[in-house]
Amino acid sequence: MMKTNNLLKRLFTVLAGLVLGASMLSAQNIKVTGVVTDTEKLPVMGAAVMVSGTSIGTATDLDGNFEIDVPSGAILEISSIGYETRKVKATPKMNIVLIEDAELLNESVVVGYGVQKRESLTGSISQIRSEDIAATRTANGVDALQGKIPGLQITQNSGKPGQFNSDLSIRGYGNPMIVVDGVVRSVTRQRKNTRSWSNNARQLESYNDISVLQELNPDDIESISVLKDASATIYGLGAENGVILITTKKGEAKKPSVSFTASVNLAQPNIPRNVESWTSFMKWDNAMADVAKMGHRWSDETIAGYENGDPNLVYTDWYKESYKTFAVNQQYNASLSGGTDTINYYFGVGYAEDNSILKGDTFGYKRYNMNANISVKLTKDLTMRYTSAIRQSNNLGMGSYDQEWNIFYYILASEPNVGVHTKDNPLHYSNVNEQMNPAALLDTNTSGYTKTDSKNFNNTIDLTYVAPWLPGLRLSANGAYDYSTNKQRTLVKNFQLYDYWTDTTNSTMQVRNETEYVELVNDNARLYGRFQAQYDHSFGKHNVSAMLGAELTDIKTSRLQASRRYGPSLDEFVYTHDILDQGDSTTATNEGGRTNTRTAGYIGRLNYNYDGKYIVELMARYDGNYQFMKGKRWSLFPSYSLGWRISEEKWFKSALPFVNNLKFRWSDGRTGSIQGSPYAYINGYGKSGSWVFNEGANSTGFANNSIANTVLTWATVRMMDFGVDFELWRGKLGGTFDWFRRVTSGIAATRSVNIPDFYAISIPQENLNVSENQGLELSLYHRNSIGDFSYRIQGQVSLTRSRMTYIESENTREYKSSMDYWKNCTLNRWNGYMGGSIYQWTGERFHNLNETNSSQVLYDTNGSGEGNRALVPGMYKIEDRNGNGYIDGEDVYYTWGSSMPPLQFGLTIGGSWKNLDFNLIFSGAAMKNKSVSLSGFAGTGYLYFMPSQYTDSYHVATYGDDPWDPTTEWTEGYWPALARVNQTGASHNATYTYNQPYNYINATYVRLKTVELGYRVSPKFLKKVGIKSARVFFNGGNLLTFCNKLLKYVDPEATDNGRQGGDFPINRTYTFGFNLNF
Amino acid sequence: MKKIFRYILIAGLSLGLMSCDKFFDNMEGDLSKVKAEDLMASNSGFLALLANLYSNLPDMSMSSSDQNTMFANASRSTPSYGDGTTSFWSYSTIRSVHKFMEAVEQEKAAGRLDEATANAYLGEGRFLRACFYFASVRAYGGIPILDHLLDNEPIDSEALYIPRSTEKESWDWVINEFQAAADLMPERQDQAMRATKYTALAMKARAALWAASESKYWDRAPLNSNYIAVQKKLTYMEASYADTYYQQAIDAAAAVILSGKYELAGAEPANIDAAVGNLITLFQTYDTKEGIFGRSYKNGSSDSGNGNQGWGPNQVVTGYLQGTYSVTLNLADEYDYYDGANTRARKDGKIKTMLIGDENAYFTDESQVTAGTIGNYKHYDSVDEPFKLKDARFQAWVCYPGSNFRGTTINNQGGMVMPDGTLAMYPGNNNGVVKNGVEYFPYGGSGDENSFFYKLDKDVNDSNRSFYCFQIRKGLDESGNNPNPQTPWYNMRYSEILLTYAEAVVESGKGNAMLAAKYLNDVRHRAGFKDDVELTLENVLHEWKCEFAFENQWSHVLHRRRGFITQGATSAEEGSLTRKLTLIPIVDLSGDTAQYIFVRCYPYNATAKKGYSGFFNFKADDYYQQIPNYVKNRIDPNNKQQ
């Protein structure tokens, strides 16, 4: 036995020696340097690089680079969230490509008050990441989301700098709630009225301020989630339109890294300027005058003079005088992030501008962003995070909204045969058509301005305690204090125009009577607090998580506005500076007010899933709101949702192995929508009229015009959603389909009861009306790679419609006829469809005057006797639908309206090949008409241009022929014969009186919203200059639009309905930039 | 660490356990509304409620409607009151009156308001309510009289339905309410623009005169006797009612006159210029001696005014629609001449234009004024010569050709007789012609904007032009083209009470005829006349027209006396004319010196002889407005047959 033991001992010793020796050898570690990229050659930062089976490891830096000493021959395991984990044998130089986790199911999705894995979601929630947002380079954060998120409907109305005039709606519901880092940050505010035509610079309007989304710096965003169904109800009262959740970037535990992006953007109108030459215009104008039986504005000698270049004839191209070739914008973003075991930090700064395509400094926008996010581990269990977002923006506009509204019209209306300045005095602006001069308007020293200066400070503190005594329990407290100010300085100046030829002036050339200066200061503060407990636990195949929370919000706003004037006429014009003190104190006015709102709520949520297959979520919110009377302030809003991942069933897996994921979802939840005005339960006195009892002293009147409303409360909003998520062949095809319905019952309305005038007060509103939204959403994606070329395609389409299903006033109204019912009852009718007022036509047009004169139908409603004789060739034969012998409002037919289109779609194609990467984003819409009014172009007889588009109109074959001679030959076109209208003669011309079929143009369009091309410069070369990586890119915005060719000059997306004077055109942009990482 | 955890827990618990409603209880509340108890805590609260009521009063601003004595700006086919309110169906304001009276009663009951103050407020409330109902009766006939608050009635209560009273009952109620209000109201108020006992009595006189005239003349425009409203006497008055009402008007007017609180501003002026000056000044600042009830626009802020900025002649205002408030020749002819600057006795006011020929013939074409016929026209040496001896009220209240307004000579001229004797009427250009070293223009002054008359070629602002050579001056700011003129508005001047007395006496034979004649002549003397005229109805009506031009009164006179041109027939007594007339001053350069002739014509323009515009053509039914919402209100409508 002893021998055996010794033998064993010896053997062991030898073996041990061998093993030791081997390990001594391998202890000569090798140094591995490598880079981790994804299939699109983009660096994967923060990827874990571990020696398999050990705890030795590191993480990649911002550029995907890592360095690690490992035993030679070791197997490296590289993993990162969102990618499939790879195991590779270590070599000194490594190039590791991670393939994106095909199912994306492990992706964390930010949901209300928490984060969930995508696989366990039961609500309809879409999320996009930073890089997808930043692919569109625009100063407006809302436009950066267009076409990227199913169900998020965005229509860009104009390209006005800093105005961010885009309609934003989730599933057509209206203004969504915006939540940033866990705190609701959209708010109702007041600003200078932007819709009034009034010259009064002091009118105010309320608006829903979503600037927190519009003015975000895309580079500071980690992700954006959109809660579209009952999952939004957890935000309580006011969340009925869905919720957009923005999460900002945080630091990570690694070496400090710096990223810097700079870009220059060139913008020009998306709508081409395509007008007929001046001489061609004059002939067209004369032809239009012939049709209208008016005198010619241009003599043959004048036309000939211009054609022959007579040096005595003045020609001013107002377009060139007013437009820049390009608006040039710059954008810079820089960020620093890093961290240690206990402190992580992220700092981002950004600068963006949006300059005007118009000359001068009348319009413009500048923004500065600074974001800081610091997370400190105070103890092993307690973490504090402080987030601060500072934003300042400066916006410039005209002083008078009336002039701002009309500037594009003035550019078109101005006479080219007059100079910008008078003939003899380069300091005097000449008086052109309508006592206006675009160049003077664009000169802020002459006409005035509006300067808006907004400052926002958003601060959030989170304390999170991970309970060591109960694994899975996390307690957190969240506090936020936001402060913002908004200052507006409006100067509307009186100025004088001069006769071009004589350099003389008179009182009618004085623009406005007085110079007025207005200052408006808004001051808003929000205080928010929340306590939240979260518990997650799994036992066996059961996964449970529960959340309880309570929150309260207090918002205070105040407003102060003051104005003074500077004398009524130019003689008394003593304008000095835009300082109130220097105005005439006897003209001083001031206004002000303040508001305070409070809301509170208790939140509860319970999630359960069995083996990842059967998912149940229960939610409830007990909400309180200050608006209502005691006893009616609080209400409970419950929700539930269910999910079944059928693809996790064993039988399914074996039957259809290529299906990675197939999930059915159903959600159904309730929330409240505020109705009526606050404190309606108090019957008080309000300001009403005023009287001078003693000369020089005004007495403000007060009156009581209502009785207390003790019945009205919030409307109940029920949101339902059925959805299917699927993914096949590991990401080669995937998608989501949703059907949704939202019913809002209890919208405020006045009961239709007979109350005699003697009662003299309207009865209080009650919760009576009901509305409904319904729609479908589909999104599909495809990812693949072929050799070095990898790509992904994602498309989405959504159809949303809304209607009223109960309207008290319409339901109780008596209708005289079916036409009356059809025109005045909107009950159960989808919005935007039946609203139009087109006349139905027989499909034929009048080709010549004989046809017009012999027509049976009288196009006449006012008995003036003109009848058909007012019609011109090219106009449709309108159908007298009710057969009463003439065409009137009873003969209208329907068409699509021009509001937000119900069908919207988008397509994103992204990919990379070696060092090149690209992104194409298309977006579009359908089921919308543009109502293109002819009078805006040619009808007033005031304008001095002829759009080439309208040369495609009926006109006499030979210039100069009498259009009213029945023997005259006509050339046919799309538009009817154009006629001038004498402004003082009002609109008597049938061409402009009837909306004819040609006025409604199908505005279906597809637009190449974004093209981005990038090239990553070789790191080897850059290392020498201390740069880790660099990328240069080109980005094009709105480069291509496919739409009806008749909309060549009328943007199918924008609200401008062909007047070409309504608003700034949407821009086409060319952006060049680079990104550096240190 | 444990401490921190404890804090979080405490914070969480306190959040969770806080009493739900407490969070909402200690807020500032609704800052846009004032609670009743806060408002009534001081007298100024009552004044605030009164301010709202006064601001809703009818007839409290100048109406631009052309029936308000010969404005020529517009021609409408249907009658419209347009007297500062859109409707006289003012039950929501009546409710405000009742809310005011309820508040007074409550404060009185609570002992916070003494009896005397409370009664004065209640009187004022009743006065205001009577004003609203007065306007209502005058428009609709018999009305539903609601004299209490209905707030506490359930909305399906029968008590919410008030039947119409007969027209006579309605008038009686209004007149009695003015008396009851007068009995409660103080003789003077601290605030100048607030009603007193005598304002109430003056209103009573106005209402009684209206009821009296309507009774006496209802038959001039009788309604169809098949109308339900006539059968129920809801829109019916008869001559037998008249005497009582005339007596009430006489008594109330006498009470106001004898109080000695009021007088005519600038009575017995020294000369014509003084009279003109006084009459201009009267309408620049509210005169508390002559003003019985009115409105001031001097509210301490310079950016609000009475809105008549653009009403003056084209030459002295800017902006759109300047100068549209022109005046007919019909009114200009109405104003008498003085027989001489010193004697100042009455002489017929018809402006003399012809030496030979018919003064009532009207211009139709250029052949009427030729080298051969020019001698038939009376030639004046200056354009303002025909107006220099006109009634001071005309000179003070009308911008006539050659008059001086705001430091500018008003050039209202429409043509030129060329040196060769041809007439250039409304020529297409305003080219000047030099005569004796002076340049004369067809439109009076050089340049386009200097001319007031109809448009020149290429003139797109033809809506700023007029066919008339007279424009309103009364009540316009004399100091300059102020964007916010703050000249006052008189709802009732003392002279109205004097004329009311005179009319009631001459119509009824009651009262003191000697005093009535004196009152009539007091009004004339203030306008510079030195003679006395007899107390006749014609003379009284003539003074209504001249004294109250542009003060909304003439349409009231015609309305209450059923004096509008009814179905084409002119009430000769009232002197109504069917056609609007104008006068074209023309400079005649065909003689040795430049002289002026004046051509009477119907409104004329250069390119077409438009159809003339006339004054209102009433149907009998037009004297009563339609009853609003009569089905909903369950009351009888007007103009509906049995």
Side-chain angles (χ1 to χ4, degrees), chain A residues 443-577:
Chain A
D443 176 357
T444 50
N445 288 328
T446 300
S447 58
Y449 50 75
T450 297
K451 291 180 177 173
T452 310
D453 177 8
S454 308
K455 296 182 176 72
N456 288 268
F457 308 91
N458 291 358
N459 302 282
T460 319
I461 289 184
D462 286 284
L463 278 172
T464 306
Y465 174 72
V466 180
W469 32 268
L470 177 60
L473 178 68
R474 289 174 356 135
L475 301 173
S476 61
N478 176 301
Y481 180 74
D482 295 353
Y483 177 74
S484 72
T485 65
N486 182 292
K487 294 179 190 166
Q488 263 183 347
R489 288 159 49 199
T490 303
L491 176 69
V492 191
K493 281 175 90 171
N494 164 351
F495 60 97
Q496 190 80 62
L497 299 173
Y498 297 82
D499 183 75
Y500 172 73
W501 300 99
T502 62
D503 197 34
T504 55
T505 187
N506 65 49
S507 58
T508 62
M509 296 188 199
Q510 188 172 321
V511 182
R512 283 178 63 81
N513 286 322
E514 285 190 296
T515 294
E516 184 177 25
Y517 176 62
V518 186
E519 233 173 88
L520 167 65
V521 182
N522 273 305
D523 179 302
N524 313 285
R526 175 201 303 273
L527 191 62
Y528 171 81
R530 179 175 79 225
F531 173 77
Q532 192 179 337
Q534 172 86 33
Y535 178 70
D536 300 291
H537 189 64
S538 299
F539 48 99
K541 290 178 171 176
H542 307 277
N543 305 298
V544 177
S545 70
M547 187 270 283
L548 275 175
E551 65 174 5
L552 48 84
T553 308
D554 177 305
I555 300 173
K556 289 190 168 73
T557 71
S558 70
R559 163 179 61 85
L560 190 62
Q561 179 169 273
S563 78
R564 288 198 190 185
R565 295 180 183 191
Y566 294 85
S569 74
L570 280 186
D571 303 334
E572 301 164 49
F573 186 81
V574 285
Y575 170 71
T576 46
H577 301 288

Side-chain angles (χ1 to χ4, degrees), chain B residues 98-117:
Chain B
H98 292 146
K99 284 292 276 188
F100 167 73
M101 290 165 76
E102 180 194 49
V104 173
E105 296 281 12
Q106 276 170 4
E107 295 298 298
K108 186 172 125 187
R112 289 189 292 267
L113 212 56
D114 64 69
E115 177 109 17
T117 316

Side-chain angles (χ1 to χ4, degrees), chain A residues 430-452:
Chain A
S430 57
N431 179 36
V432 289
N433 202 24
E434 301 206 338
Q435 285 86 48
M436 206 32 86
N437 182 320
L441 285 184
L442 290 173
D443 176 357
T444 50
N445 288 328
T446 300
S447 58
Y449 50 75
T450 297
K451 291 180 177 173
T452 310

Side-chain angles (χ1 to χ4, degrees), chain A residues 594 685 693 695-696 754 757, chain B residues 28 34 193 296 298 632-633:
Chain A
R594 67 180 183 276
Y685 285 80
F693 284 115
E695 292 225 303
N754 185 33
D757 294 340
Chain B
E28 273 194 291
V34 180
M193 316 302 292
S296 169
K298 288 192 170 57
K632 187 176 90 172
N633 294 324

Side-chain angles (χ1 to χ4, degrees), chain A residues 202 379 382 465 469 475 507 513 530-531 550 552-553 565 586-587 589 594 596-600 602 624-626 630-631 633-634 678-680 682 684-685 688-706 753-761 763 984, chain B residues 1 4-5 8 12 15-16 18 20-21 23-31 33-34 36 39-40 47-49 51-52 54-55 89 91-92 95 99 144 146 150-151 153 155 160-162 190-194 285-286 294-296 298-300 302-303 309 318 460 462 629 632-633:
Chain A
R202 282 172 284 144
T379 71
L382 187 65
Y465 174 72
W469 32 268
L475 301 173
S507 58
N513 286 322
R530 179 175 79 225
F531 173 77
L552 48 84
T553 308
R565 295 180 183 191
T586 65
T587 63
T589 71
R594 67 180 183 276
N596 183 9
T597 65
R598 282 182 188 172
T599 53
Y602 296 90
N625 191 295
Y626 78 106
K630 222 174 175 145
R633 288 173 182 156
W634 290 85
Y679 301 109
I682 297 172
Y685 285 80
S688 168
S690 67
W691 194 252
V692 177
F693 284 115
N694 265 332
E695 292 225 303
N698 196 43
S699 293
T700 302
F702 275 81
N704 166 294
N705 294 319
S706 60
V753 288
N754 185 33
I755 300 171
D757 294 340
F758 317 119
Y759 192 58
I761 1 171
I763 55 169
T984 53
Chain B
M1 203 292 300
I4 292 167
F5 168 61
I8 296 178
L15 209 69
M18 85 195 158
C20 297
D21 259 20
F23 182 55
F24 301 120
D25 280 346
N26 53 3
M27 294 178 67
E28 273 194 291
D30 188 352
L31 298 171
K33 279 189 276 187
V34 180
L39 198 62
M40 304 318 160
L47 210 57
L49 296 191
N52 171 55
Y54 275 85
S55 72
W89 194 251
Y91 287 94
S92 65
R95 176 179 175 273
K99 284 292 276 188
L146 170 67
L150 291 175
D151 276 17
E153 298 289 344
I155 57 169
L160 298 187
Y161 295 91
I162 317 286
D190 291 337
Q191 292 92 355
M193 316 302 292
R194 214 170 139 190
T285 311
Y286 190 81
R295 177 174 182 179
S296 169
K298 288 192 170 57
N299 63 359
S302 63
D303 69 346
Q309 175 198 3
T318 57
V460 293
D462 60 352
N629 308 318
K632 187 176 90 172
N633 294 324

Side-chain angles (χ1 to χ4, degrees), chain A residues 336-349:
Chain A
L336 167 70
S337 71
T340 66
D341 289 345
T342 51
I343 297 183
N344 294 331
Y345 54 86
Y346 173 90
F347 294 103
V349 291

